[in-house]
Amino acid sequence: MAYTDETRARLTADSAAIIARYPRARSALLPILHLVQSEEGYVSEDGIEFAAETLGLTPAEVIAVATFYTMYRRRPAGRYHVGVCTNTLCAVLGGDAILADLREHLGITGDATTPDGMVSLEHVECNAACDYAPVVMVNWEFFDNQTVASARELVDRLRAGDPPTPTRGAGLTSFTETERMLAGFDDGRADEGPAAGPASLAGLALYRSATTSGGEK
Amino acid sequence: MILTPVLTDLWDAPRSWTRATYEEHDGYQGLRQALAMEPDAVIAAVKESGLRGRGGAGFPTGMKWSFIPQGGTAPHYLVVNADESEPGTCKDIPLMLGNPHALVEGMVIASYAIRARHSFVYIRGEVAHVIRRVQNAVRQAYEAGYLGRDILGSGYDLDITVHIGAGAYICGEETALLDSLEGFRGQPRLRPPFPAVAGLYASPTVVNNVESIASVPAIIRRGPDWFRSMGTEKSAGHTIYSLSGHVARPGQYEAPLGVTLRQLLELAGGVREGHELKFWTPGGSSTPILTTEHLDVPLDYEGVAAVGSMLGTKALQIFDETTCVVRAVARWSQFYRHESCGKCTPCREGTYWYVKIFDRLESGEGTEEDLDTLLDMSENILGRAFCALGDGATSPVTSSLQYFRDEYVAHLTHGGCPFDPVASTVFAGASA
Ligand SMILES: Cc1cc2nc3c(=O)[nH]c(=O)nc-3n(C[C@H](O)[C@H](O)[C@H](O)COP(=O)(O)O)c2cc1C
Ligand code: SF4
Ligand code: FES
């Protein structure tokens, strides 16, 4: 289904703002793909055509780029997109068990979405949170130090529309709203969440207690 | 106390990510000092400090800046590499979450030094809140006159664009990153020309890691000698070591370069209770693994190289005796196959065959010959691949065969993996 005139006008204005950030228009392609993904939860044919028209590229050129990057989806994500890290460290510490359990629990395989459209599930590579392993991401917010049981409870609450607060991040909205933020549009929520989790502070906490208790510096 | 918190020092302050908190802790004082200096004097100070790139290769930062040809008409660019995706690496993400203004201040100083008027920070896309914090810091810096026109009355102008990636490990490789930033598939470029000569939009460009750039404000403010007072002769300064895996207190430990894993493990409460160290990576999965033999190796560029590995990103992934090394390496190989950009044959084909062979080993269909094939293939990838991703893919394979060949053989005689995967999990006691 083609975009309505209203949608098209809005995307055109947003794209112009994106293009203005760069010395050359083509640099806007990745953010514009995030922008079109914020419309339908994936990069649709309309999205590809829109990006191509906006930047004066062929659809084939846009597809070549879109398929290179794992975040651009070919099918709609759920309202909450869940990524379980199964790179070696998380896998060994429990990520493999968590992913296997969630697949069974949700009754979905591969990169799929629950029939109610609430939760999509995929495995992800190292998300730079290894000191909090095993790690689960929801709409690219951190849910640290997961177990099979906690991850199950997490997705149950997501399906029930009662999302828990991320360990280090802003409160969850929807996948598409996150994608709009990734296209570079401020959602005004930078002040939510903590500065750092306990593992980030592990060394600093030791240093503080050594230096305040009169220990040598 | 061997720890030296500098970059991490602000992380426990209330609302540490805000400009107000940063300024209360001497924030943007380094920038004021830098703007009173000649750009070349800033480069000289960074050279003198001995700062080396924290993105993996350890190239001297001041020297990199001095390669930018001056006097031409093409614009210059600074591009900060915030793609942090090397397995095990988890320092830049908390740094940007807790102290994003250190990065922004460092970017303004570095851009001034290399005479850039537009700079970019390329952040991986899968970290929503980190992106918010950096965007917010950039916005606050504009509001305070640290960015934009005539910065602090100096006559210097700079814009920063926050660019968001879309999921591709290879975009951390600096030339692939530049292609990606130009709106293409992220595939490495042939070098020379190096980015210093023809980088972003074929213009002179410096690419630096987040931690490298965030280290600059304190160097300017406190002086190169202060920085050199930490670390070793060739590996100067403080740096963030990231401990993860089977340790009692995983996390970030900022210490002088040259500490040992033994010292860091002591701080981190040792390997998890009732278990012992088996193998570890010094700097992410692309650096050859080490063992209990290497507990006293100085974790600086020279020390780790001397035992056949690399300091890399200082991502110390710790695995205890419950971990199957073959499973660990198999999973890393799957990662490299998935992330290979496909541009060159040794890496594209080699990682594909790695995965095939590891599948056989894990399912009990492997042969002694497979182990030799793994080594042969590694020889054919190492040094023949177009970029360092291919070399990195061989690191876990060859080093694990060097130290743990017996365990590979056990997979042949046992008909597959002899380990219980539950035993290595954090919830082993609870659910088993
Ligand atoms: C496959 C691959 C991935 C890389 N990923 C990163 C990364 O995520 N962040 C980073 O700073 N450097 C990464 N690098 C290293 C960069 O190419 C480059 O050396 C570095 O950004 C330079 O910054 P520095 O001199 O400040 O260390 C990667 C290199 C390769 C080969
Ligand atoms: S080594 Fe791998 S990632 Fe690098 S250019 Fe070749 S195929 Fe691409
Ligand atoms: S291995 Fe899972 S976050 Fe790094």
Side-chain angles (χ1 to χ4, degrees):
Chain A
M1 206 190 76
Y3 291 141
T4 63
D5 289 349
E6 191 202 329
T7 306
R8 178 171 288 275
R10 181 165 41 76
L11 293 178
T12 303
D14 285 345
S15 301
I18 294 172
I19 291 167
R21 296 178 202 144
Y22 298 95
R24 295 197 191 169
R26 176 144 187 173
S27 285
L29 181 52
L30 266 63
I32 287 177
L33 287 169
H34 280 302
L35 178 72
V36 301
Q37 185 149 274
S38 78
E39 248 347 277
E40 296 164 282
Y42 73 115
V43 177
S44 64
E45 256 176 67
D46 290 336
I48 286 166
E49 257 170 52
F50 174 82
E53 267 171 42
T54 305
L55 294 172
L57 304 171
T58 65
E61 284 173 309
V62 174
I63 290 167
V65 172
T67 52
F68 187 82
Y69 298 93
T70 53
M71 287 179 81
Y72 299 131
R73 302 180 51 82
R74 288 172 224 200
R75 273 169 298 162
R79 176 175 174 84
Y80 301 108
H81 183 60
V82 176
V84 180
C85 177
T86 56
N87 201 294
T88 297
L89 191 110
C90 279
V92 164
L93 268 71
D96 277 357
I98 290 171
L99 181 64
D101 183 78
L102 289 187
R103 281 192 172 143
E104 193 192 307
H105 184 62
L106 295 171
I108 53 181
T109 50
D111 175 12
T113 305
T114 52
D116 59 8
M118 289 299 273
V119 175
S120 47
L121 177 68
E122 69 171 339
H123 82 93
V124 298
E125 297 299 353
C126 177
N127 222 92
C130 324
D131 46 345
Y132 296 96
V135 174
V136 172
M137 307 299 295
V138 181
N139 293 350
W140 308 116
E141 304 285 359
F142 293 108
F143 284 82
D144 297 328
N145 299 116
Q146 294 297 302
T147 64
V148 169
S150 70
R152 217 183 238 233
E153 190 194 321
L154 169 62
V155 299
D156 284 346
R157 287 186 57 182
L158 295 176
R159 288 191 82 176
D162 170 32
T165 309
T167 332
R168 290 174 294 146
L172 294 177
T173 54
S174 64
F175 178 78
T176 51
E177 282 165 280
T178 302
E179 279 292 337
R180 191 176 156 77
M181 193 277 293
L182 297 182
F185 295 99
D186 180 25
D187 61 8
R189 303 194 305 130
D191 288 337
E192 291 181 33
S200 310
L201 299 174
L204 189 60
L206 283 179
Y207 178 83
R208 293 272 186 261
S209 60
T211 48
T212 55
S213 67
E216 39 135 15
K217 260 218 170 187
Chain B
M1 172 52 63
I2 54 168
L3 293 172
T4 50
V6 177
L7 296 169
T8 55
D9 188 42
L10 199 67
W11 295 3
D12 62 352
R15 292 168 57 85
S16 66
W17 61 88
T18 61
R19 182 172 53 111
T21 304
Y22 188 62
E23 284 172 341
E24 276 163 30
H25 292 78
D26 299 322
Y28 291 102
Q29 293 304 327
L31 173 61
R32 287 174 196 278
Q33 279 173 249
L35 291 174
M37 296 160 71
E38 286 299 318
D40 285 342
V42 176
I43 296 179
V46 173
K47 262 191 190 166
E48 217 181 299
S49 74
L51 174 65
R52 296 173 65 173
R54 304 298 194 226
F59 192 84
T61 305
M63 197 187 299
K64 189 183 271 192
W65 296 2
S66 69
F67 290 159
I68 294 293
Q70 298 297 337
T73 52
H76 302 168
Y77 296 109
L78 170 74
V79 178
V80 172
N81 190 340
D83 194 53
E84 189 161 74
S85 315
E86 167 73 18
T89 309
C90 48
K91 64 189 178 72
D92 297 336
I93 290 302
L95 174 54
M96 291 185 283
L97 199 61
N99 190 4
H101 279 284
L103 173 62
V104 174
E105 184 182 3
M107 285 181 73
V108 187
I109 297 172
S111 302
Y112 173 74
I114 65 163
R115 297 153 175 100
R117 313 229 145 196
H118 195 164
S119 298
F120 298 83
V121 47
Y122 185 116
I123 312 180
R124 68 180 298 183
E126 305 98 322
V127 287
H129 208 47
V130 171
I131 292 163
R132 284 192 196 94
R133 289 267 167 91
V134 175
Q135 279 171 337
N136 187 58
V138 168
R139 198 162 38 241
Q140 291 185 332
Y142 271 106
E143 285 162 11
Y146 300 134
L147 279 174
R149 304 286 83 80
D150 190 22
I151 294 170
L152 298 174
S154 64
Y156 174 61
D157 305 336
L158 178 70
D159 286 306
I160 289 182
T161 296
V162 180
H163 183 83
I164 310 307
Y169 165 61
I170 187 58
C171 290
E173 195 283 333
E174 60 184 20
T175 62
L177 183 146
L178 295 174
D179 260 35
S180 178
L181 182 48
E182 290 184 9
F184 295 89
R185 298 161 75 94
Q187 289 188 314
R189 299 176 178 175
L190 190 64
R191 277 170 296 191
F194 289 93
V197 175
L200 185 64
Y201 312 125
S203 288
T205 302
V206 164
V207 182
N208 269 136
N209 170 259
V210 170
E211 187 189 346
S212 314
I213 291 295
S215 298
V216 169
I219 290 174
I220 299 298
R221 190 164 55 78
R222 304 175 77 166
D225 289 342
W226 162 79
F227 193 75
R228 291 207 82 99
S229 73
M230 293 169 278
T232 63
E233 178 65 26
K234 289 183 176 158
S235 300
H238 55 86
T239 196
I240 304 175
Y241 291 92
S242 311
L243 269 82
S244 62
H246 292 134
V247 286
R249 284 190 296 276
Q252 309 301 318
Y253 295 83
E254 192 172 8
L257 279 163
V259 297
T260 65
L261 182 62
R262 191 185 300 281
Q263 289 173 302
L264 288 169
L265 269 180
E266 207 167 288
L267 294 171
V271 170
R272 67 175 176 160
E273 210 182 332
H275 295 277
E276 58 194 46
L277 177 64
K278 181 173 175 183
F279 65 98
W280 54 291
T281 65
S285 61
S286 303
T287 60
I289 64 168
L290 298 174
T291 69
T292 50
E293 285 168 50
H294 307 105
L295 275 165
D296 296 308
V297 170
L299 297 175
D300 57 24
Y301 298 99
E302 293 70 33
V304 183
V307 293
S309 188
M310 286 171 286
L311 183 63
T313 57
K314 304 151 284 121
L316 308 160
Q317 302 175 90
I318 311 294
F319 297 94
D320 71 20
E321 84 291 346
T322 61
T323 313
C324 171
V325 74
V326 176
R327 174 180 172 212
V329 177
R331 189 56 60 89
W332 280 322
S333 297
Q334 286 169 11
F335 167 77
Y336 289 109
R337 183 200 56 181
H338 180 252
E339 301 296 334
S340 167
C341 82
K343 183 167 182 148
C344 70
T345 316
C347 169
R348 186 183 61 238
E349 300 289 315
T351 54
Y352 173 85
W353 285 107
Y354 271 169
V355 170
K356 289 261 175 218
I357 293 177
F358 276 105
D359 281 350
R360 280 212 293 274
L361 291 171
E362 288 202 289
S363 63
E365 289 152 29
T367 62
E368 192 86 31
E369 209 189 327
D370 283 333
L371 309 189
D372 297 331
T373 310
L374 283 175
L375 288 177
D376 284 350
M377 278 172 31
S378 302
E379 256 175 55
N380 282 320
I381 301 171
L382 189 69
R384 293 196 171 88
F386 191 81
C387 84
L389 185 145
D391 293 347
T394 69
S395 289
V397 176
T398 46
S399 58
S400 61
L401 275 160
Q402 177 187 347
Y403 297 117
F404 297 100
R405 194 179 173 104
D406 288 355
E407 202 159 303
Y408 280 84
V409 172
H411 281 67
L412 311 179
T413 52
H414 186 271
C417 185
F419 285 81
D420 170 12
V422 176
S424 67
T425 65
V426 287
F427 35 84
S431 62

